[in-house]
């Protein structure tokens, strides 16, 4: 199958919002409350958010295409936790359910890690819902380890993972 990844650019907001909101609906239906899930999966709000994010210099985004159809997105950049300049952050990685478990998320992960290395980061963190065991296994498969740090988000706990680059 034809697979490629490219930088997200202005004009991609609707695609980014679609992948994020559909991914959240599929992945978090049993994790977030129905009201919180509905609040977080509003396509118009997500599109507005991506319109502003794509202009920021401290955040990079990419879209992965499978058979010429958008499938997965990722965002990364400087960490948002004041951990210093050597630590990057994988802000998000979202993919549509129709190709889960087929390796496309792993390809996007490797792409994002390569970009973080090129940007000079020595390690990378990410935040994941504590109850999201599927994602946690995915991150652990890619060398991330829990740091023990937690924070509340969307009414539940998130935990921080970190790995060396």
């Amino acid at each position: 199958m034809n697979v490629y990844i490219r930088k997200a650019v202005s004009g991609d907001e609707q695609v980014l919002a679609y992948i994020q909101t559909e991914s959240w609906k599929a992945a978090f239906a049993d994790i977030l409350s129905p009201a919180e899930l509905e609040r977080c999966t509003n396509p118009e709000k997500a599109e507005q958010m991506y319109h502003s994010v794509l202009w920021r210099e401290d955040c990079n985004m990419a879209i992965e295409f499978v058979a010429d159809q958008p499938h997965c997105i990722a965002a990364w950049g400087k960490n948002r936790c004041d951990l210093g300049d050597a630590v990057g952050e994988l802000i998000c990685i979202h993919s549509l359910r129709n190709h889960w478990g087929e390796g496309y998320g792993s390809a996007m992960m490797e792409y994002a890690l390569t970009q973080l290395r090129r940007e000079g980061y020595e390690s990378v963190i990410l935040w994941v819902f504590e109850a999201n065991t599927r994602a946690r296994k995915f991150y652990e498969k890619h060398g991330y380890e829990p740091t023990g740090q937690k924070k509340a988000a969307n009414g539940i706990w998130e935990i921080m993972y970190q790995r060396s680059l």
Side-chain angles (χ1 to χ4, degrees):
M1 217 178 289
N2 181 29
V3 179
Y4 64 94
I5 299 171
R6 70 160 171 81
K7 178 182 170 93
V9 297
S10 180
D12 287 332
E13 294 87 353
Q14 189 173 18
V15 168
L16 297 168
Y18 177 77
I19 292 173
Q20 177 190 318
T21 57
E22 291 303 306
S23 172
W24 274 56
K25 288 175 191 175
F28 304 146
D30 296 332
I31 295 174
L32 296 175
S33 72
E36 189 66 13
L37 186 61
E38 184 176 340
R39 185 185 72 75
C40 293
T41 56
N42 178 304
E44 292 81 22
K45 286 184 180 178
E47 195 172 330
Q48 290 170 358
M49 186 244 339
Y50 283 117
H51 181 72
S52 65
V53 166
L54 288 175
W55 292 101
R56 293 177 51 180
E57 292 184 20
D58 61 344
C59 181
N60 300 290
M61 293 205 71
I63 304 173
E64 179 181 45
F65 293 80
V66 176
D68 295 321
Q69 297 299 310
H71 169 67
C72 184
I73 63 172
W76 63 91
K78 181 180 177 185
N79 79 81
R80 301 171 293 174
C81 302
D82 296 322
L83 297 174
D85 292 338
V87 182
E89 181 173 356
L90 181 65
I91 299 165
C92 76
I93 185 167
H94 302 299
S95 62
L96 297 175
R97 183 181 205 142
N98 62 327
H99 288 294
W100 283 358
E102 296 179 23
Y104 301 117
S106 292
M108 179 60 93
M109 175 65 76
E110 290 308 314
Y111 179 88
L113 294 174
T114 297
Q115 298 307 312
L116 284 154
R117 279 185 208 101
R118 286 182 181 157
E119 292 165 20
Y121 294 107
E122 297 172 11
S123 66
V124 60
I125 64 159
L126 61 81
W127 290 93
V128 60
F129 291 134
E130 186 172 36
N132 192 351
T133 54
R134 188 178 159 280
R136 291 177 63 184
K137 288 177 186 174
F138 173 78
Y139 296 134
E140 290 166 6
K141 179 177 111 176
H142 290 280
Y144 290 87
E145 296 179 357
T147 65
Q149 289 187 262
K150 288 185 178 186
K151 68 178 180 178
N154 302 95
I156 60 175
W157 288 106
E158 282 187 323
I159 57 175
M160 182 195 286
Y161 274 69
Q162 187 167 10
R163 66 159 280 172
S164 295
L165 292 171

